Amino acid sequence: MANKTNNHDFITAGLIKLGSFCKRRKQAVLTGLGVLVVALVVGTAYQAHCQKVEEASWADYYVAQMALLSAGQQEAFNLLDAINQKYPGSNAAQYAQLFKGDLLYSQENYAQALDVYSALRAQAKNTQVATVADLSLGAAYQATKQYDKSIETMKQFIAQNPTSFALPQAYFTLALSQELAGQKAEALETYTKLLEDYTKSYWGAFAKDKINELKK
């Protein structure tokens, strides 16, 4: 019973002290509460603003895609670049540049695609965009016959992303660049790695054919 009384007295004393402190520091307490309220309001407003910006940026992205069908490639490129300028760093801006690079690459404008991928890779914050940009950059270096840079890019990607879903393609690009660069032994080693790790996949089948071809 004594323990319960002592605990009760301790809690009561604490509440009395807190009440006394609040009376003495009324202005400070009210100011603190005011700051918390303002922070909450500002935080909520900022979150709502970010959501509106994100929705607007994606809306612009889809408009740019539609422009490719209706107004032509150059207009689509202008709209894609505008997203990057209007919403820098946003997911929509990153995907817009990736889309632009892919369009250029598909039309065999490899040097221009390389510039887009390179700039995107330097600033990409979205993990998936960064991954695709890395792979695309390696492919663009390869397409422009900059095999050493393609090899370096893919080796760096493999080292930094040992569990990535994109490893098979990275090994494929690496092996092909090594082969095109005349590095036959290195290419065979990479193709063998690809075959061993992804035997039953498309990549494994391709690697097997390449190994047989290089060993002739």
Side-chain angles (χ1 to χ4, degrees), residues 51-64:
Q51 184 174 351
K52 288 182 180 179
V53 168
E54 184 176 3
E55 290 173 355
S57 64
W58 281 115
D60 285 357
Y61 175 72
Y62 292 123
V63 168

Side-chain angles (χ1 to χ4, degrees), residues 57 59-68 70-87 92-93 96-97 100:
S57 64
D60 285 357
Y61 175 72
Y62 292 123
V63 168
Q65 287 185 317
M66 294 305 296
L68 181 64
S70 60
Q73 179 175 286
Q74 189 54 53
E75 179 61 22
F77 282 169
N78 292 340
L79 291 172
L80 291 170
D81 288 338
I83 296 170
N84 200 37
Q85 295 171 3
K86 191 174 180 181
Y87 310 102
Q97 289 306 295
K100 179 181 178 180

Side-chain angles (χ1 to χ4, degrees), residues 92-170:
Q94 293 174 69
Y95 276 102
Q97 289 306 295
L98 187 59
F99 182 50
K100 179 181 178 180
D102 289 347
L103 281 175
L104 289 166
Y105 190 93
S106 67
Q107 296 172 356
E108 299 184 1
N109 294 319
Y110 300 126
Q112 290 177 279
L114 177 59
D115 289 340
V116 175
Y117 292 139
S118 182
L120 177 60
R121 187 59 195 90
Q123 63 187 18
K125 297 177 182 178
N126 183 294
T127 303
Q128 290 184 329
V129 171
T131 294
V132 178
D134 265 327
L135 297 173
S136 299
L137 184 59
Y141 277 133
Q142 184 183 99
T144 54
K145 299 183 179 181
Q146 300 181 65
Y147 303 126
D148 288 344
K149 289 186 176 181
S150 177
I151 291 168
E152 180 184 354
T153 300
M154 290 300 91
K155 282 185 174 181
Q156 186 175 8
F157 176 83
I158 291 167
Q160 293 178 349
N161 303 274
T163 60
S164 174
F165 68 90
L167 279 179
Q169 188 170 345

Side-chain angles (χ1 to χ4, degrees), residues 158-180:
I158 291 167
Q160 293 178 349
N161 303 274
T163 60
S164 174
F165 68 90
L167 279 179
Q169 188 170 345
Y171 277 117
F172 164 74
T173 302
L174 172 60
L176 190 56
S177 289
Q178 289 170 329
E179 181 184 351
L180 293 170

Side-chain angles (χ1 to χ4, degrees), residues 187-203:
L188 270 171
E189 183 179 347
T190 306
Y191 281 131
T192 300
K193 171 71 174 175
L194 190 59
L195 175 59
E196 290 175 349
D197 290 355
Y198 307 97
T199 305
K200 296 182 179 180
S201 69
Y202 160 82
W203 308 104

